[in-house]
């Protein structure tokens, strides 16, 4: 980095020209407008500075040699950014753009002056745009000149929600937003051909006055009478036709109020298409119904292409009619994938075969069936003799079915249409044979997922009606579990018999939009807010049945299939807020809390359901599962691994993110948090939560990060340092007495931490 900064920034600035060193906007008489709001109107901006002083991209470009045919010079120039050469014409264009932007916002008497300070010996120039806005014009009155009574009633039904009110600035941008809002309202009231060009404004100003009398009109005297009649007429839907055949039509099926034109393959049932269609013959045309139909049909995996055309169908009894023609293109129905794997680790040979089958339209309703099978063998001795009998084999199978609707009785069509839902079923089975043991791992799940948009937020829901996890060792060597437990208690737990039958619900609300190849995550929206909350419970149904039938307890607990089942309740909530200052800088914050409580049939929550702290997505000054609980002091990271989990978690983070150059992004962060146990367990001394001193046990960490943002995925490398260590018998404030080997932790991960 020092080498880059030291490289001459004006190396490729021609003689007699200047590097644009700075472009500043100064507003003398108005605190309501911030210079940052006008920055995008500048036609020329200086090279980007990292952390406000280092032009890394320009310095990288300057490292290249003058021979542009050499590959490393090309590479450096592609990574970097060429110097921005001062252009007087672009500066004047920037001045005009700024002036026009101010006039559009209601500052009719604004002025913009340009001052430059050039340093010839250093080939640098600074440009200052000085703005005097003057007194703005405001709207004194708003009148609506709409001759058509029906249209006037639609517009006047809710003028309060329009982005234009008396007393506000005469902002032309807001006037245009108002046109768009009214046009949207009209298209959702049957006026198919209506657009914003049908709306005009007349502004009445008095000399010397700063007020404007505004009149909104829909008189289009410049257009032909026939076009005007078309735009100002309400439309109803006449026919809704689905075209499923790309070639010649073989058959036409009428189902309720839709028509389906099939080819040789009737790959979708009419009932499925009718449920996903929000366009109903006889109803007024609504643009939102078209959008909702697009969204619903796009969730059918069997469809590759969807197009909706509105075709005028003439006039009947004084009303205009439309035919909705929905053209569908089919995706591939089935797919098969075969995977082969082989290993050779110091003579230990192994191989495996995997087969995946996928059907996108199992029952002509776009049901997605996925079936996976895997068989593997590992010879721990490297000897292939007796391949079948040495008990080094593993067989695994998984079947999943996704149905793009609610699979539940007593639900109306209206409810199914309001909720963009899918139903998932899953079964899994894994059978392992080893000389020391035979292990069976099985699972089953039935869940519903649905989502809907409310204003700018997308709300997603997941309801796990039932989720079963079953692990059993039907055969094992004598003292096998005890031998494993001496090496790693966590490993022992993964082999012990356990049974969990849970029910859960997860809610997420976010306004995050997906970045594209041309728009990065910082520039796509000014702020991003994400709330995620979940709750789950396990064992209640089984406990109720055990109590009702009078089942006898074994060691003080009920069992099913000879295994004690877990009973607990768990809740979590996480909130993330990211403020994007511009396309290159952002501040992200996160806070999270969780609690889980064992009761009834359990004295302790199952290990995989407890919380842990540290790691790439936690307090990054600690490695994964090496922090807490509370003031617990870990003596050995291997043997204490299972003890460093808890029933309560709290964590919060602040992270500043800045784009560097190419795909590189930097970050500095501060993390805080810990976990605690809800009961005082002998194996976790100092871990129990107490209101009197829990705040003293909150760990603190700080650090820096380097990321590679490839738009669709992000690789992350973070270096965290301990600042406050709550563990007993440890340095309490490593921030004051840092030690690299003790306090530093590297983390490599995919995606942002929050």
């Amino acid at each position: 980095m020092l080498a880059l900064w030291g490289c001459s920034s004006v190396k490729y600035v021609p003689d007699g020209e200047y590097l644009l060193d700075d472009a500043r906007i100064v507003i003398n008489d108005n605190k309501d407008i911030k210079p940052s709001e006008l920055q995008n109107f500048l036609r020329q901006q200086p090279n980007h500075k990292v952390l406000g002083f280092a032009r890394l991209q320009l310095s990288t470009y300057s490292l290249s040699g003058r021979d542009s045919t050499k590959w490393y010079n090309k590479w450096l120039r592609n990574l970097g950014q060429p110097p921005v050469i001062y252009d007087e014409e672009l500066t004047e264009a920037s001045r005009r753009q700024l002036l026009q932007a101010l006039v559009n916002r209601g500052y009719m008497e604004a002025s913009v002056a340009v001052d430059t300070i050039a340093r010839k010996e250093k080939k640098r120039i600074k440009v200052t745009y000085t703005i005097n806005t003057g007194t703005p014009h405001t709207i004194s009155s708003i009148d609506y000149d709409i001759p058509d009574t029906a249209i006037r009633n639609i517009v006047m039904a809710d003028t309060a929600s329009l982005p234009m009110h008396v007393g506000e600035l005469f902002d032309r941008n807001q006037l245009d937003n108002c046109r768009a809002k009214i046009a949207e309202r009209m298209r959702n009231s049957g006026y198919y051909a209506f657009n914003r060009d049908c709306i005009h404004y007349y502004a009445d100003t008095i000399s010397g006055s700063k007020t404007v009398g505004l009149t909104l009109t829909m008189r289009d005297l410049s257009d032909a009478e026939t076009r005007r009649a078309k735009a100002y007429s309400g439309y109803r839907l006449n026919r809704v036709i689905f075209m499923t055949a790309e070639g010649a039509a073989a058959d036409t099926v009428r189902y309720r109020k839709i028509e389906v034109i099939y080819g040789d393959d009737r790959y979708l049932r009419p009932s499925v298409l009718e449920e996903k269609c929000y366009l109903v013959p006889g109803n007024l045309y609504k643009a939102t119904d078209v959008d909702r139909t697009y969204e619903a049909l796009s969730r059918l995996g069997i469809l590759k292409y969807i197009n909706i055309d509105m075709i005028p169908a003439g006039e009947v009894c004084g009303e205009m009619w439309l035919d909705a023609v929905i053209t569908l293109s089919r995706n591939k129905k089935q797919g098969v994938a075969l995977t082969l794997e082989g290993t050779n680790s110091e003579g230990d040979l192994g191989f495996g075969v995997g087969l995946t089958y996928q059907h996108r339209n199992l029952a002509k309703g776009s049901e997605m069936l996925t079936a996976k099978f895997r068989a593997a063998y590992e010879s721990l001795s490297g000897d292939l003799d007796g391949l079948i009998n040495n008990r080094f084999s593993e067989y695994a199978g998984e079947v999943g079915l996704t149905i793009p609707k609610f699979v539940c009785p007593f639900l109306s069509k209206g409810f199914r249409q309001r909720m963009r839902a899918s139903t998932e079923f899953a079964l899994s089975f894994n059978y392992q044979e080893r000389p020391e043991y035979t292990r069976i791992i099985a699972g089953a799940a039935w869940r519903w997922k649905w989502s809907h948009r409310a204003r700018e937020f997308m709300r997603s829901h997941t309801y796990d009606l039932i989720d079963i996890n079953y692990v059993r060792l039907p055969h094992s060597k004598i003292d096998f579990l005890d031998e494993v437990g001496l090496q790693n208690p966590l490993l022992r737990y993964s082999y012990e018999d356990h049974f969990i039958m849970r029910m859960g619900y997860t809610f997420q609300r976010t306004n995050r939009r997906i970045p594209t190849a041309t728009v990065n995550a910082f520039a796509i929206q000014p702020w991003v807010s994400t709330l995620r909350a979940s709750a789950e419970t396990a064992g209640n149904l089984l406990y109720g049945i055990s109590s009702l039938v009078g089942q006898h307890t074994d060691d003080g607990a009920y069992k099913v299939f000879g295994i004690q089942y877990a009973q607990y309740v768990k809740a979590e909530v996480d909130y993330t807020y990211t403020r994007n200052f511009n396309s290159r800088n952002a501040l992200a914050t996160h806070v999270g809390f969780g609690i889980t409580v064992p009761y009834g049939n359990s004295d302790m929550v199952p290990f995989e359901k407890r919380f842990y702290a540290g790691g790439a997505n936690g307090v990054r000054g600690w490695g994964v599962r090496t922090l807490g609980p509370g003031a617990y002091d870990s003596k050995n990271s291997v043997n204490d691994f299972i003890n460093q989990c808890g029933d309560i978690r709290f964590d919060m983070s602040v992270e500043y993110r800045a784009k560097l150059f190419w795909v590189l992004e930097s970050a500095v962060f501060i993390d805080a948090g810990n976990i605690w146990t809800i009961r005082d367990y002998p194996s976790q001394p100092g871990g129990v939560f107490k209101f009197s001193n829990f705040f003293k046990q909150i760990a603190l960490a700080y650090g820096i990060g380097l990321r590679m943002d490839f738009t669709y995925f992000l690789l992350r490398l973070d270096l965290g340092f301990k600042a406050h260590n709550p563990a007993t018998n440890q340095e309490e404030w490593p921030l004051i007495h840092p030690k690299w080997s003790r306090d530093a932790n590297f983390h490599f991960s995919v995606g942002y931490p929050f």
Side-chain angles (χ1 to χ4, degrees):
M1 292 178 71
L2 290 175
L4 288 173
W5 295 338
C7 192
S8 174
S9 300
V10 295
K11 177 180 178 180
Y12 288 105
V13 177
D15 292 338
E17 298 192 24
Y18 297 96
L19 172 72
L20 182 59
D21 195 43
D22 191 19
R24 184 175 303 178
I25 298 175
V26 178
I27 303 175
N28 286 333
D29 58 345
N30 196 320
K31 294 182 180 180
D32 294 330
I33 302 178
K34 298 179 181 179
S36 58
E37 298 175 12
L38 302 174
Q39 201 70 32
N40 290 333
F41 292 101
L42 298 183
R43 297 291 300 274
Q44 234 192 353
Q45 300 202 31
N47 296 92
H48 172 66
K49 295 179 181 180
V50 177
L51 301 178
F53 68 93
R55 289 193 174 98
L56 289 184
Q57 286 183 284
L58 175 58
S59 298
T60 302
Y61 186 94
S62 300
L63 283 175
S64 65
R66 296 188 179 275
D67 187 353
S68 60
T69 61
K70 294 183 178 180
W71 69 268
Y72 52 85
N73 290 333
K74 288 183 179 179
W75 180 68
L76 287 171
R77 293 188 180 191
N78 288 333
L79 286 182
Q81 183 185 56
V84 177
I85 307 300
Y86 170 73
D87 188 317
E88 188 173 355
E89 292 184 0
L90 292 180
T91 301
E92 174 58 23
S94 298
R95 188 195 69 80
R96 293 196 302 268
Q97 292 266 27
L98 290 171
L99 183 59
Q100 187 61 49
L102 292 167
V103 171
N104 287 343
R105 294 180 65 167
Y107 296 91
M108 305 295 190
E109 299 175 355
S111 63
V112 181
V114 178
D115 297 314
T116 59
I117 300 177
R119 293 181 293 174
K120 292 184 179 181
E121 68 282 359
K122 293 189 176 182
K123 295 184 177 181
R124 298 173 185 268
I125 193 170
K126 294 184 179 181
V127 180
T128 302
Y129 299 89
T130 304
I131 294 175
N132 290 292
T133 63
T135 304
H137 283 64
T138 58
I139 300 174
S140 60
S141 63
I142 302 176
D143 294 322
Y144 295 87
D145 181 13
I146 306 175
D148 190 292
T149 304
I151 296 177
R152 181 179 177 84
N153 290 338
I154 294 172
V155 175
M156 301 301 294
D158 186 14
T159 57
S161 65
L162 297 177
M164 179 179 66
H165 301 94
V166 173
E168 294 183 349
L169 294 181
F170 181 55
D171 190 332
R172 299 184 186 182
N173 298 317
Q174 287 295 83
L175 300 187
D176 198 48
N177 291 338
C178 185
R179 294 171 68 206
K181 184 78 172 179
I182 293 175
E184 179 185 8
R185 185 181 297 178
M186 295 299 298
R187 287 195 298 271
N188 285 322
S189 301
Y191 292 80
Y192 160 71
F194 196 94
N195 58 66
R196 68 174 67 191
D197 293 333
C198 297
I199 303 172
H200 303 274
Y201 293 107
Y202 292 98
D204 184 12
T205 58
I206 301 175
S207 178
S209 173
K210 302 297 182 183
T211 60
V212 178
L214 201 62
T215 301
L216 182 149
T217 180
M218 292 186 187
R219 296 181 183 275
D220 191 0
L221 303 178
S222 63
D223 206 351
E225 184 68 27
T226 54
R227 288 189 59 192
R228 197 162 62 246
K230 179 180 177 182
Y232 294 158
S233 298
Y235 284 75
R236 289 189 179 272
L237 296 176
N238 180 39
R239 300 166 64 197
V240 177
I241 306 168
F242 283 87
M243 304 284 294
T244 66
E246 297 181 2
D251 194 10
T252 299
V253 175
R254 288 175 172 81
Y255 180 81
R256 294 184 178 175
K257 295 184 178 182
I258 68 170
E259 301 174 36
V260 185
I261 300 177
Y262 285 111
D264 296 331
D265 184 7
R266 296 192 178 192
Y267 59 89
L268 279 173
R269 300 190 306 274
S271 59
V272 175
L273 297 175
E274 193 264 346
E275 184 175 306
K276 301 298 180 184
C277 183
Y278 294 83
L279 302 171
V280 180
N283 287 0
L284 282 173
Y285 166 85
K286 291 184 180 181
T288 54
D289 288 343
V290 177
D291 296 337
R292 294 169 71 190
T293 302
Y294 268 118
E295 291 180 6
L297 291 173
S298 65
R299 296 178 57 248
L300 301 180
I302 190 62
L303 297 180
K304 179 173 63 176
Y305 171 81
I306 304 160
N307 184 61
I308 302 177
D309 289 320
M310 292 294 166
I311 301 175
E315 182 179 354
V316 178
C317 298
E319 288 189 311
M320 306 295 292
W321 293 82
L322 292 170
D323 287 339
V325 180
I326 306 173
T327 305
L328 309 176
S329 178
R330 198 195 74 180
N331 208 339
K332 290 183 179 180
K333 280 187 179 180
Q334 304 179 67
V336 178
L338 179 67
T339 58
L340 301 174
E341 61 185 64
T343 60
N344 181 359
S345 178
E346 298 182 357
D348 295 339
L349 303 178
F351 66 91
V353 179
L355 182 68
T356 301
Y357 169 76
Q358 190 174 73
H359 197 302
R360 295 186 178 89
N361 197 32
L362 184 65
K364 296 187 177 181
S366 195
E367 300 88 353
M368 178 80 74
L369 173 69
T370 303
K372 299 179 181 180
F373 175 77
R374 178 179 178 272
Y377 170 82
E378 183 178 5
S379 174
L380 300 182
S381 63
D383 183 6
L384 297 182
D385 293 336
L387 179 66
I388 304 302
N389 301 319
N390 280 345
R391 295 178 56 83
F392 296 127
S393 57
E394 179 179 343
Y395 307 95
E398 181 180 342
V399 178
L401 178 64
T402 301
I403 303 174
K405 66 177 182 178
F406 266 115
V407 177
C408 183
F410 314 117
L411 294 181
S412 65
K413 175 192 171 183
F415 180 83
R416 287 191 173 100
Q417 284 194 323
R418 286 195 302 273
M419 300 300 178
R420 299 183 298 174
S422 63
T423 304
E424 297 180 2
F425 300 95
L427 293 172
S428 61
F429 184 83
N430 187 289
Y431 180 83
Q432 301 172 354
E433 281 190 337
R434 293 293 185 269
E436 300 86 0
Y437 63 88
T438 298
R439 180 165 64 164
I440 297 173
I441 304 174
W446 178 2
R447 66 178 59 93
W448 293 306
K449 292 182 178 180
W450 69 97
S451 61
H452 59 96
R453 182 173 293 279
R455 296 182 180 178
E456 73 269 27
F457 286 97
M458 175 62 72
R459 290 171 167 81
S460 303
H461 311 260
T462 301
Y463 180 62
D464 293 281
L465 181 63
I466 185 170
D467 189 343
I468 298 174
N469 183 25
Y470 171 81
V471 177
R472 182 168 177 78
L473 253 69
H475 306 289
S476 64
K477 289 174 56 178
I478 299 175
D479 298 332
F480 167 71
L481 291 177
D482 294 333
E483 292 175 3
V484 172
L486 290 175
Q487 300 175 10
N488 192 327
L490 175 63
L491 192 59
R492 174 191 172 102
Y493 175 84
S494 66
Y495 285 97
E496 288 181 334
D497 296 348
H498 61 273
F499 186 91
I500 302 173
M501 188 170 76
R502 58 176 286 271
M503 177 187 295
Y505 169 75
T506 301
F507 169 79
Q508 179 170 297
R509 189 199 71 169
T510 182
N511 68 331
R512 182 183 300 277
R513 287 175 285 179
I514 300 175
T516 64
T518 56
V519 183
N520 64 47
F522 287 1
I524 197 169
Q525 53 193 130
W527 58 273
V528 177
S529 171
T530 300
L531 172 67
R532 186 181 185 277
S534 64
E536 67 177 76
T537 182
N540 294 334
L541 178 61
L542 293 175
Y543 192 84
I545 295 174
S546 298
S547 300
L548 285 175
V549 301
Q551 180 182 354
H552 295 290
T553 60
D554 186 356
D555 295 330
Y558 294 119
K559 294 186 177 181
V560 58
F561 307 125
I563 303 173
Q564 179 180 338
Y565 54 84
Q567 190 173 11
Y568 64 88
V569 63
K570 180 179 181 180
E572 290 185 87
V573 60
D574 288 270
Y575 179 73
T576 300
Y577 180 84
T578 302
R579 181 72 172 90
N580 298 317
F581 300 112
N582 50 47
S583 63
R584 308 189 67 93
N585 299 274
L587 182 69
T589 57
H590 166 261
V591 60
F593 174 78
I595 184 170
T596 178
V597 181
Y599 62 95
N601 211 49
S602 298
D603 294 325
M604 180 179 290
V605 177
F607 177 79
E608 62 265 34
K609 295 299 180 180
R610 303 185 83 189
F611 302 112
Y612 64 88
N617 296 323
V619 184
R620 283 166 279 184
W622 281 259
V624 62
R625 297 183 185 270
T626 61
L627 171 61
Y632 178 78
D633 182 20
S634 172
K635 301 298 182 182
N636 184 291
S637 60
V638 175
N639 292 333
D640 276 358
F641 196 78
I642 195 171
N643 291 325
Q644 296 201 264
C645 56
D647 309 309
I648 299 174
R649 78 167 176 94
F650 171 76
D651 52 83
M652 59 188 303
S653 298
V654 177
E655 181 173 282
Y656 176 77
R657 300 165 183 168
K659 293 287 184 182
L660 297 178
F661 60 92
W662 188 41
V663 298
L664 295 181
E665 177 184 315
S666 64
V668 292
F669 57 83
I670 298 175
D671 299 329
N674 204 339
I675 55 174
W676 294 267
T677 62
I678 204 165
R679 298 176 182 173
D680 194 357
Y681 297 111
S683 60
Q684 297 174 300
V688 68
F689 179 87
K690 295 181 180 179
F691 280 103
S692 59
N693 64 350
F694 83 93
F695 58 91
K696 299 178 182 177
Q697 297 173 352
I698 294 178
L700 298 176
Y702 62 97
I704 58 175
L706 183 66
R707 292 84 190 273
M708 299 184 70
D709 186 358
F710 296 100
T711 303
Y712 298 106
F713 70 96
L714 179 139
L715 301 179
R716 172 165 57 96
L717 179 65
D718 288 333
L719 173 60
F721 297 90
K722 297 180 179 67
H724 174 247
N725 191 347
T728 57
N729 303 318
Q730 297 290 333
E731 176 66 42
E732 184 178 3
W733 291 100
L735 177 65
I736 302 175
H737 304 99
K739 186 178 180 181
W740 177 274
S741 60
R742 179 194 63 195
D743 303 326
N745 275 280
F746 280 101
H747 303 281
F748 178 77
S749 186
V750 177
Y752 287 117
F754 47 85

